[in-house]
């Protein structure tokens, strides 16, 4: 990048204004409320996420959380109402 840029005073042609698509600072600072859970995962899953997290300089738990959030977001439009809970006294088939 040692070459100098030479600026000229030429017409730019047709210019199109792009609407602001970046999130606001408030949206970037927002953190969803977290709920602590205990979850047993397979050793190979944890090793995978730890390895990938190291490659991408992030936390493996954050990657797992984002994966689950992405799954939920993908299911939301097609999800129907949750099935009715079974009464404990009702016989199982």
């Amino acid at each position: 990048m040692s070459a100098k840029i030479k600026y000229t005073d030429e017409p730019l042609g047709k210019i199109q204004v792009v609407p602001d698509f970046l999130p606001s600072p408030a949206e970037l600072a927002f953190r969803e409320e977290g709920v602590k859970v205990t979850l047993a995962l397979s050793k190979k899953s944890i090793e995978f996420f730890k390895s990938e997290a190291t490659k991408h300089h992030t936390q493996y738990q954050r990657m797992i959380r984002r994966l689950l959030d992405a799954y939920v977001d993908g299911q939301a439009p097609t999800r129907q109402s949750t099935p009715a809970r079974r009464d404990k006294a009702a016989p199982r088939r």
Side-chain angles (χ1 to χ4, degrees):
M1 295 200 53
S2 60
K4 297 254 182 188
I5 298 173
K6 182 180 179 184
Y7 295 98
T8 59
D9 190 15
E10 297 178 9
L12 296 176
K14 185 175 180 180
I15 298 175
Q16 180 181 0
V17 176
V18 177
D20 187 8
F21 61 91
L22 297 174
S24 69
E27 291 173 304
L28 293 173
F30 174 73
R31 285 184 88 173
E32 286 193 44
E33 181 181 352
V35 177
K36 297 267 184 188
V37 297
T38 301
L39 179 66
L41 300 173
S42 68
K43 186 175 180 178
K44 71 178 183 179
S45 292
I46 296 300
E47 288 173 353
F48 170 79
F49 280 104
K50 283 185 175 182
S51 171
E52 290 299 308
T54 301
K55 288 180 195 175
H56 298 284
H57 308 289
T58 190
Q59 300 168 348
Y60 77 96
Q61 291 176 336
R62 182 177 294 162
M63 289 182 70
I64 295 170
R65 187 169 45 249
R66 287 182 178 167
L67 174 67
L68 290 172
D69 287 343
Y71 176 81
V72 170
D73 291 345
Q75 297 299 313
T78 59
R79 233 174 103 188
Q80 295 178 357
S81 62
T82 56
R85 291 179 57 188
R86 294 170 88 166
D87 187 343
K88 288 184 180 180
R92 290 187 141 174
R93 296 181 195 194

